[in-house]
Amino acid sequence: MTSFSIDRATYSIGESALDDMVLEKAEFPDQFQGHQVVREGTLDNDTLAQNGFEGSTAERFLQAGRVTGVMRELGPTSNMTMADGFDFMAASVVHLFDTPDSVHGWMHDIFLKDFEDRVGESVGQGHQLVSATRLDPQGFFDEAVGLKVLQGGVNGLISSTVVDFRVGRLLGVAFIGVVGDHDRLNQVMKLGQTLEKRMVRVVLGSA
């Protein structure tokens, strides 16, 4: 299967197919099986803008070619201790765009650029964006980019390792959040590759 044929196949994907692409809880790594689903479902441009950086708008995302998305996020239960090195959050997200080129543009001009441009700024909830370090994720079918994002707040540091990858006009996102300053690239790459396989399965009609 070539990237061209995958690109072409994703043009037949409708919004309803995205629900079948995000990972089920059982597909997340073992350390998250005791966590709970904290957010899931449709992630439209309005919702994404409300949860994004200050100044984000649905119109900007629409102009970038984003149609909609679906997510599933796992978070800690009340009895879990938020100690240094604890993996407190994980998520898989699938975004649908108008073209594969729009996915590429989003990865570089919105995902990477927005984080890098806002280092040192407040990101809400009493948190400051301390650093955004580019990573080089491997093992994906097409283009992939990554960031390790470090945030500081009254309760200390938290870090997120995020990988974005392209499947035609679909964007897959996998990330893990950790208490303290820690890199989870290997685990996030595995999570992303599991998500990529599921996305491709749905695209090819064999889900």
Side-chain angles (χ1 to χ4, degrees):
M1 179 68 67
T2 65
S3 59
F4 174 75
S5 52
I6 283 282
D7 285 1
R8 194 174 53 199
T10 59
Y11 277 96
S12 64
I13 290 294
E15 295 178 21
S16 60
L18 303 184
D19 291 324
D20 296 323
M21 293 185 185
V22 290
L23 296 178
E24 301 289 344
K25 182 181 175 182
E27 295 175 282
F28 282 82
D30 290 344
Q31 72 262 36
F32 292 103
Q33 293 310 305
H35 289 52
Q36 60 187 338
V37 175
V38 291
R39 287 196 297 174
E40 64 180 348
T42 301
L43 189 62
D44 61 22
N45 285 327
D46 283 321
T47 306
L48 189 63
Q50 289 164 14
N51 289 280
F53 288 116
E54 186 176 345
S56 296
T57 65
E59 179 62 27
R60 180 191 181 208
F61 297 157
L62 185 64
Q63 287 179 349
R66 186 182 185 273
V67 180
T68 191
V70 172
M71 71 173 304
R72 180 164 289 119
E73 181 180 311
L74 306 183
T77 57
S78 59
N79 62 345
M80 291 178 174
T81 304
M82 297 288 282
D84 184 67
F86 173 60
D87 295 344
F88 70 92
M89 182 176 65
S92 72
V93 190
V94 180
H95 305 260
L96 179 66
F97 287 80
D98 54 1
T99 68
D101 284 344
S102 292
V103 178
H104 171 85
W106 180 279
M107 292 162 77
H108 293 271
D109 302 333
I110 292 184
F111 169 56
L112 294 177
K113 189 174 187 303
D114 280 4
F115 273 104
E116 291 174 343
D117 285 353
R118 283 172 167 79
V119 170
E121 293 184 13
S122 169
V123 287
Q125 298 176 320
H127 278 225
Q128 182 186 36
L129 185 55
V130 177
S131 64
T133 307
R134 290 203 189 197
L135 305 172
D136 185 22
Q138 302 292 317
F140 290 89
F141 180 76
D142 198 348
E143 183 181 16
V145 297
L147 280 178
K148 179 193 162 204
V149 177
L150 188 63
Q151 294 175 217
V154 291
N155 295 319
L157 297 171
I158 59 170
S159 45
S160 304
T161 303
V162 190
V163 169
D164 279 22
F165 60 90
R166 180 169 62 175
V167 179
R169 67 186 188 116
L170 296 165
L171 173 69
V173 182
F175 67 85
I176 291 176
V178 194
V179 178
D181 184 359
H182 300 279
D183 183 330
R184 291 290 186 265
L185 180 58
N186 287 336
Q187 296 95 317
V188 175
M189 285 194 305
K190 287 178 186 173
L191 183 63
Q193 287 156 9
T194 302
L195 176 60
E196 181 185 55
K197 286 177 185 150
R198 187 176 178 105
M199 290 165 66
V200 170
R201 244 189 350 260
V202 175
V203 169
L204 300 180
S206 56

